[in-house]
Amino acid sequence: MINKKDAKTLVKKIKGHENIIIVKHQLPDWDAQGSAMGLAHIIKENFENKNIFVVGDRLNDDKDFLPKKKLTNDFIKSALVITVDTGNKARLDFDKYDLAGDTFKIDHHIDVDKYANNQIVMESAIACTEVVTLWAEMMKLEIPAAGAHNLYLGLLTDSGRFLFPKTNPVTFRVAARLLEQGADLKKAHDYIFVNDLKNRKWSNFAFSKMTLSKHGVASIVIKKEDYAGWDLDYNEVKGALATMSGMHEIVIWFTVIEMENGQIKVSLRSRDYDVNSVATKYNGGGHRVASGASLNSFDEISSLTKDLDKLVKNGKEGK
Ligand SMILES: [Mn+2]
């Protein structure tokens, strides 16, 4: 549950600032963007005379709350910066965060980095959009349809279509509320889950590269040359991850993706095992069964696989 005092603090801080900047994590997913846009729409609807901007990369061509020009340092110094869906400061998609007049973190990742002045962190929430919605409900704020649509997209994707283990009665209550507020179920589902043929072809190609350890740890390693010429963005390349889910034989699965800039990003998933405990060893973290990490070189893949094998050997409850 959200602590009412923290919920009120956020309202007070919004009231006290004319300028509001909403920050997501780098390489945003729909929970990050949905939380940011949803929150922006809620603030616009319920509080008068606010300049609200959502900064950083976007997943689509939604122009709402986009700064028309570069935000000045003076603007940032006078602003309340609200971060969404970002567990650690290093992952924020805003290089001037430290200039902010005031800061507030809204999140659902494991709370390892209390980087903001105040926060609402609900680790039990399946999506950050769930936290934003519950906050708005608790504070009796209106959720306009455009906000509900964005919030629903985050709920839908971070819960893996309501299949992931952390999906619970609250998730469905929040989904119901968002549909009542004007989120369009079919539109959202078609928008997220109907892909181009090239995405399915990519998934098939990527899955053909899957290797499986004898303990049921599957991985797909994707280098730059693998996706060269495919015309895919990072999230589409990462579509390879989902091809390994939903099979008895695979109990932990991960992708290793070489980014255009040479960074090596890992995404880890499991139905039952605490992959977060391994992710933290490799400059990462996130959730118990869904975490990210990064490697210094491809040589680290074998030790990563060994660590995950060990997790399986130790059993579901861990040792
Ligand atoms: Mn999230």
Side-chain angles (χ1 to χ4, degrees):
M1 270 309 288
I2 295 176
N3 178 323
K4 194 146 193 185
K5 197 169 147 250
D6 298 333
K8 282 185 176 165
T9 301
L10 179 53
V11 169
K12 213 166 92 192
K13 290 193 176 239
I14 292 168
K15 281 184 181 158
H17 289 83
E18 198 180 319
N19 300 331
I20 292 164
I21 302 170
I22 302 174
V23 177
K24 315 172 257 86
H25 59 72
Q26 296 158 8
L27 301 169
D29 54 16
W30 270 110
D31 191 33
Q33 186 165 321
S35 297
M37 301 305 288
L39 178 64
H41 281 289
I42 291 169
I43 296 173
K44 189 181 165 204
E45 181 80 11
N46 293 276
F47 302 87
E48 279 172 8
N49 303 322
K50 302 288 174 199
N51 305 307
I52 310 159
F53 295 111
V54 174
V55 296
D57 291 341
R58 298 221 175 167
L59 290 162
N60 59 359
D61 57 5
D62 188 341
K63 298 275 189 294
D64 286 343
F65 307 107
L66 202 65
K68 302 241 173 346
K69 49 185 197 301
K70 213 166 159 256
L71 299 176
T72 64
N73 288 353
D74 284 341
F75 183 92
I76 299 163
K77 280 180 201 160
S78 72
L80 168 66
V81 169
I82 306 174
T83 74
V84 291
D85 197 37
T86 313
N88 56 316
K89 189 173 154 187
R91 232 185 137 209
L92 290 170
D93 194 0
F94 185 50
D95 55 8
K96 294 195 165 168
Y97 175 80
D98 286 330
L99 287 181
D102 202 352
T103 54
F104 201 107
K105 171 189 182 187
I106 305 177
D107 193 29
H108 71 130
H109 292 89
I110 294 168
D111 193 18
V112 287
D113 186 358
K114 292 181 173 36
Y115 56 78
N117 294 339
N118 293 88
Q119 63 176 35
I120 295 174
V121 175
M122 195 178 157
E123 290 180 16
S124 66
I126 193 109
C128 186
T129 66
E130 181 174 311
V131 187
V132 173
T133 308
L134 291 171
W135 166 75
E137 262 189 345
M138 185 178 254
M139 293 294 102
K140 304 212 165 22
L141 300 171
E142 289 295 325
I143 304 175
H149 173 69
N150 275 283
L151 294 166
Y152 185 74
L153 292 180
L155 197 67
L156 182 65
T157 50
D158 259 30
S159 69
R161 311 186 201 192
F162 306 102
L163 287 174
F164 293 160
K166 265 166 75 180
T167 304
N168 64 19
V170 182
T171 317
F172 287 106
R173 275 206 290 280
V174 167
R177 177 71 202 272
L178 294 173
L179 294 176
E180 282 163 6
Q181 295 304 128
D184 183 329
L185 184 119
K186 179 171 158 49
K187 204 173 115 192
H189 292 203
D190 286 352
Y191 181 57
I192 297 290
F193 297 115
V194 178
N195 276 323
D196 296 336
L197 183 60
K198 80 170 177 193
N199 296 98
R200 188 61 61 92
K201 286 185 172 169
W202 167 252
S203 292
N204 284 345
F205 167 69
F207 190 70
S208 74
K209 293 166 63 66
M210 188 271 289
T211 57
L212 184 61
S213 81
K214 69 172 193 288
H215 295 284
V217 176
S219 57
I220 297 174
V221 179
I222 298 165
K223 297 193 173 176
K224 277 191 224 177
E225 60 257 33
D226 292 316
Y227 58 80
W230 279 82
D231 185 28
L232 301 167
D233 64 27
Y234 171 71
N235 276 301
E236 289 176 310
V237 172
K238 204 181 137 187
L241 183 61
T243 66
M244 294 179 281
S245 72
M247 279 162 277
H248 292 300
E249 294 85 348
I250 297 176
V251 296
I252 292 175
W253 56 101
F254 67 95
T255 50
V256 179
I257 300 175
E258 183 183 22
M259 311 281 291
E260 291 289 0
N261 65 8
Q263 264 186 302
I264 305 174
K265 293 194 79 78
V266 176
S267 300
L268 293 150
R269 297 290 184 275
S270 170
R271 280 183 296 278
D272 300 294
Y273 296 92
D274 179 12
V275 292
N276 183 68
S277 64
V278 173
T280 53
K281 267 183 72 178
Y282 295 87
N283 315 303
H287 310 285
R288 187 176 174 277
V289 295
S291 265
S294 56
L295 303 182
N296 300 312
S297 85
F298 288 105
D299 298 339
E300 287 183 290
I301 296 172
S302 62
S303 72
L304 172 64
T305 307
K306 270 191 206 122
D307 285 338
L308 294 168
D309 275 338
K310 209 185 290 167
L311 210 55
V312 180
K313 279 188 271 181
N314 287 344
K316 286 180 188 176
E317 302 308 320
K319 261 187 189 164

